Structures are given as C-alpha cells and as structure tokens.
Amino acid sequence: MSEDENTSSDADPQDTDTDLDAVDEGVLFALQRDARNVTSEEIATEVNVSASTVRNRIEKLETAGVIESYQPKINYEQAGFPLLILFVCTIDPDSRGTVAQSVLDIMGVTDVTEMITSEYNLYIEVVATSTKDLTRITGELNEHGLRVHSSEIITNHYSQPWSHFEYTGE
C-alpha cells in the first residue's frame, strides 16, 4: 500500500473527496429530487449526456461513497406508528461514535446524528407506539449513559435537494 492510500477509518474526509463535474452534480440533484421515480433517460436529458453515461456516473458515485444509499421516506403515522420523537442528548465526546452506533440497536430508534460543536451532541429520532413505549425507549437511552435534554414530537419534516448540485450546463 502506498503512503498516499488511507489506512485508517478515521481518515479526514477531505483526503478522499471525489472530484465532481457538472454532470455528476446534475445527476445527484435529480436523484435527490426523486431517486425512485426518475429514469436514467430523464436525467440524461436534463444534463445533456446519454443514459448510459448517467448509469456509469451513478455507479462511479456509488463506488466512491458519494451516494451512500437510497431510502424511502416513511410516514410513520400513516403506517400506524403515531409518535415520531427527536431526543436531544449529551454524551462524552470520546464515546459519542460508539454510543451512536449502539443506540441504533434500541427498538424504535430510526436515526442518530452526531454533532461536533455543541454540548447537545447526539440527536436521536425514534418511532414509538405509545407513551409506555416512549418511556421504555427513554430508559434504554439512559442506560447507554446519555443525558436527555429534551424529547420533541416531530410533526413534519421538509427537505429539498441541495441547489449547488442543480445542473446549469456550465
């Protein structure tokens, strides 16, 4: 292995950046908008390349880790799970990553976000069926050494593609 290759999982993400051109960015923008329903042909028309080029670019972006996954956005309330909660927590920064991974094993936890610049350094989204279920989840979070500052009921979540990736043809 050469000196230039990363040997640590803690490598600086800046060291592994993938150079994106306008076509890559246009592909990413289209996928962010609606990856499930957009075709390679539609993206190709948008970014002025062939559909096979789009498929090759998507494969390259997946291999490089730029595209990490394709996940459905689920309306848990419509699916019969009425409570979507955001827990704002604090954990010792030295164990933040380990705890973040371990709380994913708690039934009901759907998402964990690590924060680096605040005392409130773990945001944990959970789906609960009742207040009894919510109490169980809270207890399990406490067992992991987390200090829960607040638990907020999420009513709606809005997102959009990052406009930097919008294809401008430049």
Side-chain angles (χ1 to χ4, degrees):
M1 182 176 295
S2 74
E3 288 181 43
D4 294 334
E5 293 182 64
N6 291 321
T7 58
S8 168
S9 62
D10 296 326
D12 183 349
Q14 296 297 331
D15 293 342
T16 58
D17 284 348
T18 301
D19 289 329
L20 303 178
D21 64 14
V23 172
D24 292 324
E25 291 176 354
V27 168
L28 290 172
F29 188 78
L31 291 174
Q32 285 180 106
R33 250 190 349 250
D34 190 2
R36 183 171 173 16
N37 294 307
V38 69
T39 66
S40 296
E41 290 77 13
E42 291 167 330
I43 297 171
T45 299
E46 242 179 84
V47 298
N48 297 318
V49 297
S50 70
S52 63
T53 297
V54 169
R55 287 188 292 276
N56 290 338
R57 294 295 183 100
I58 290 171
E59 184 178 332
K60 177 189 90 167
L61 293 165
E62 289 170 346
T63 300
V66 173
I67 297 173
E68 294 182 331
S69 68
Y70 300 88
Q71 297 176 331
K73 181 178 178 187
I74 297 173
N75 182 324
Y76 291 105
E77 190 171 10
Q78 284 294 111
F81 301 94
L83 298 173
L84 181 59
I85 311 294
L86 175 66
F87 283 92
V88 178
C89 305
T90 296
I91 191 70
D92 175 43
D94 292 336
S95 60
R96 181 179 55 230
T98 303
V99 172
Q101 289 293 317
S102 68
V103 298
L104 285 170
D105 292 334
I106 297 172
M107 189 156 106
V109 172
T110 60
D111 190 79
V112 179
T113 303
E114 291 183 54
M115 310 303 281
I116 196 166
T117 60
S118 171
E119 173 186 359
Y120 309 123
N121 58 7
L122 279 184
Y123 288 24
I124 303 168
E125 283 188 31
V126 305
V127 175
T129 57
S130 64
T131 54
K132 182 179 178 181
D133 194 25
L134 186 57
T135 300
R136 174 194 56 79
I137 293 167
T138 303
E140 288 188 48
L141 291 173
N142 287 325
E143 288 172 12
H144 281 82
L146 289 163
R147 192 165 104 223
V148 176
H149 295 280
S150 68
S151 55
E152 312 294 338
I153 296 174
I154 299 171
T155 57
N156 290 302
H157 176 254
Y158 307 97
S159 63
Q160 66 181 3
W162 187 40
S163 64
H164 174 81
F165 289 147
E166 189 167 12
Y167 183 76
T168 60
E170 297 173 7

